[in-house]
């Protein structure tokens, strides 16, 4: 009967919810020890400069290798880190790893590289002095701001929050660049683009992956690129998986591309090898 199937439905959802709540509790407990137990790693995904045809940029992406559960996606554990405040410690750790990586790349390659780091809204809005701490770490490591990009999502900018604008001004004073991540998926208002200084727009992979001549994604990407250039910003297309997408993006005058076609996110030591082999001008140091 309808009543029975209704009850079954109810039971089904309850069980699923219980399982995910249990899983979440377990991840919360385990995440607390993950850094100390060397389960977290920063991977780097190279970014191709479409005009110069070289890779001197990369994005830092966090990886968690859980001893029993295996690989846990950041899409699953970053929200937990945000809800519990662990994101501050984890974010600082990612930033320190990135500074080290920038330093060793520059030493080995004799070239400056630029690595972008994702910064969660929570790191802006819960004031634990994260920004100030990052600038200190940067100075201690003797790394200049030009080597660092901070990736934020549109949501961080729409409320015109003074904590956010203060942090971004501090970045700018230090020479750190700012990128809007997942551009196009957030908010329809573009007015924040004139209020804040933004260096890069990262076109979300949902657009890139549906790029075909005559598609609405084609029109949207083209419009984003034209607008960005008029406002003095550069564009990075995320999630490039096919040669066809890459060709179209080049024709549209897109500045940079990132995606599995070019490279998956790779561990630190592999990044060095990748940069050495894919940048023709680099001496075989
Ligand atoms: P994001 O910053 O937009 O990162 C891009 C995501 O797209 C990454 O997923 C990357 O592995 C994936 N990707 C790159 N190229 C391709 C492609 O060609 N095809 C497809 N299908 N995917 C591609 P990942 O590493 O799973 O990270 C997911 C999200 O987790 C990131 O999205 C970011 O929002 C967050 N995240 C990752 N690391 C950190 C971190 O250190 N701090 C913070 N706050 N968030 C992070
Ligand atoms: Mg990102
Ligand atoms: Mg993104
Ligand atoms: Mg994302």
């Amino acid at each position: 009967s309808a009543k029975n199937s209704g009850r079954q439905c109810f039971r089904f959802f309850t069980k699923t919810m219980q399982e995910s709540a249990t899983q979440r509790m377990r991840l919360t407990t385990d995440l607390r020890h993950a850094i100390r137990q060397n389960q977290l790693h920063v991977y780097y995904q190279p970014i191709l400069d479409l005009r110069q045809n070289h890779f001197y940029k990369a994005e830092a992406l966090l990886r968690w290798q859980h001893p029993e559960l295996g690989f846990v996606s950041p899409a699953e554990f970053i929200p937990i880190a945000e809800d519990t405040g662990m994101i501050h410690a984890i974010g600082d750790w990612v930033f320190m790893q990135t500074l080290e990586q920038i330093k060793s790349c520059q030493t080995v390659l004799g070239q400056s590289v630029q690595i972008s780091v994702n910064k969660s809204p929570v790191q802006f809005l819960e004031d634990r002095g994260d920004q100030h701490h990052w600038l200190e770490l940067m100075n201690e490591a003797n790394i200049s701001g030009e080597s660092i990009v901070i990736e934020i999502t549109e949501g961080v900018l729409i409320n015109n929050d003074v904590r956010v604008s203060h942090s971004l001004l501090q970045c700018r004073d230090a020479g750190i660049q700012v990128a809007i991540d997942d551009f196009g998926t957030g908010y329809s208002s573009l007015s924040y683009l004139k209020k804040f200084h933004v260096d890069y727009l990262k076109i979300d992979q949902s657009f890139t992956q549906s790029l075909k001549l005559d598609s609405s994604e084609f029109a949207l990407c083209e419009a984003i690129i034209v607008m960005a250039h008029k406002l003095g910003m550069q564009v990075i297309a995320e999630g490039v998986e096919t040669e066809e997408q890459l060709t179209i993006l080049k024709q549209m005058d897109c500045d940079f591309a990132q995606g599995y076609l070019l490279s998956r996110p790779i561990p630190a030591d592999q990044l060095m090898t990748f940069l050495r082999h894919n940048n023709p001008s680099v001496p075989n140091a």
Side-chain angles (χ1 to χ4, degrees):
S1 71
K3 202 177 173 187
N4 276 340
S5 61
R7 202 174 288 151
Q8 261 168 356
C9 264
F10 179 71
R11 214 161 39 212
F12 170 76
F13 283 120
T14 304
K15 186 161 177 266
T16 310
M17 279 160 61
Q18 220 163 45
E19 277 170 1
S20 63
T22 310
Q23 164 93 343
R24 203 181 152 92
M25 256 158 52
R26 165 154 202 208
L27 293 181
T28 308
T29 310
D30 295 350
L31 189 56
R32 294 195 193 282
H33 312 290
I35 292 186
R36 253 190 302 117
Q37 298 187 346
N38 295 322
Q39 295 166 13
L40 295 186
H41 305 276
V42 181
Y43 277 40
Y44 300 89
Q45 187 174 32
I47 298 173
L48 175 65
D49 183 321
L50 292 173
R51 276 195 209 89
Q52 310 291 325
N53 208 34
H54 62 209
F55 295 87
Y56 288 117
K57 286 186 191 324
E59 176 176 7
L61 293 159
L62 194 51
R63 294 288 174 263
W64 182 11
Q65 189 63 43
H66 188 287
E68 283 125 36
L69 302 171
F71 171 74
V72 184
S73 164
E76 194 170 357
F77 72 82
I78 292 287
I80 295 176
E82 290 175 338
D83 291 349
T84 55
M86 286 189 263
I87 192 69
H88 299 282
I90 291 176
D92 287 353
W93 182 80
V94 170
F95 190 68
M96 286 189 279
Q97 300 295 307
T98 302
L99 290 174
E100 267 179 38
Q101 183 65 13
I102 292 170
K103 211 183 218 167
S104 40
C105 279
Q106 290 178 345
T107 307
V108 172
L109 302 173
Q111 272 281 344
S112 55
V113 296
Q114 193 185 51
I115 300 187
S116 61
V117 184
N118 292 281
K119 189 165 177 183
S120 148
V122 174
Q123 289 170 280
F124 283 100
L125 300 176
E126 287 180 6
D127 188 15
R128 306 257 186 105
D130 292 29
Q131 185 66 38
H132 182 70
H133 186 214
W134 282 23
L135 296 178
E136 277 178 352
L137 291 170
M138 209 180 81
N139 290 332
E140 278 165 26
N142 204 15
I143 304 268
S144 76
E146 287 74 23
S147 301
I148 297 159
V149 179
I150 289 184
E151 295 194 11
I152 58 182
T153 47
E154 293 169 89
V156 174
L157 299 180
I158 52 151
N159 293 324
N160 210 1
D161 190 290
V162 321
R163 290 163 295 187
V164 174
S165 46
H166 184 70
S167 283
L168 291 180
L169 275 177
Q170 278 189 327
C171 282
R172 196 163 158 62
D173 287 343
I176 297 174
Q177 299 196 305
V178 175
I180 306 293
D181 207 351
D182 305 340
F183 184 77
T185 58
Y187 297 84
S188 50
S189 165
L190 295 173
S191 60
Y192 68 84
L193 288 176
K194 18 168 244 210
K195 288 195 208 122
F196 299 96
H197 181 93
V198 170
D199 301 282
Y200 301 101
L201 294 184
K202 297 192 77 171
I203 297 183
D204 190 68
Q205 58 188 42
S206 59
F207 296 105
T208 312
Q209 283 165 10
S210 321
L211 266 183
K212 290 222 169 50
L213 291 173
D214 294 328
S215 65
S216 53
E217 286 80 7
F218 185 97
L220 280 167
C221 284
E222 204 168 37
I224 291 171
I225 292 165
V226 170
M227 174 193 72
H229 289 167
K230 287 204 168 151
L231 293 173
M233 299 181 283
Q234 290 189 297
V235 178
I236 303 168
E238 297 194 89
V240 178
E241 292 185 352
T242 68
E243 289 288 354
E244 188 194 6
Q245 290 159 5
L246 191 67
T247 306
I248 293 176
L249 288 162
K250 275 185 198 160
Q251 283 166 357
M252 286 178 173
D253 206 23
C254 185
D255 305 278
F256 300 94
Q258 175 181 358
Y260 294 167
L261 174 71
L262 305 162
S263 171
R264 296 208 164 233
I266 48 181
D269 54 330
Q270 285 181 36
L271 178 70
M272 201 74 84
T273 313
F274 183 95
L275 296 183
R276 238 194 250 169
H277 286 94
N278 291 281
N279 287 323
S281 61
V282 170
N284 284 324

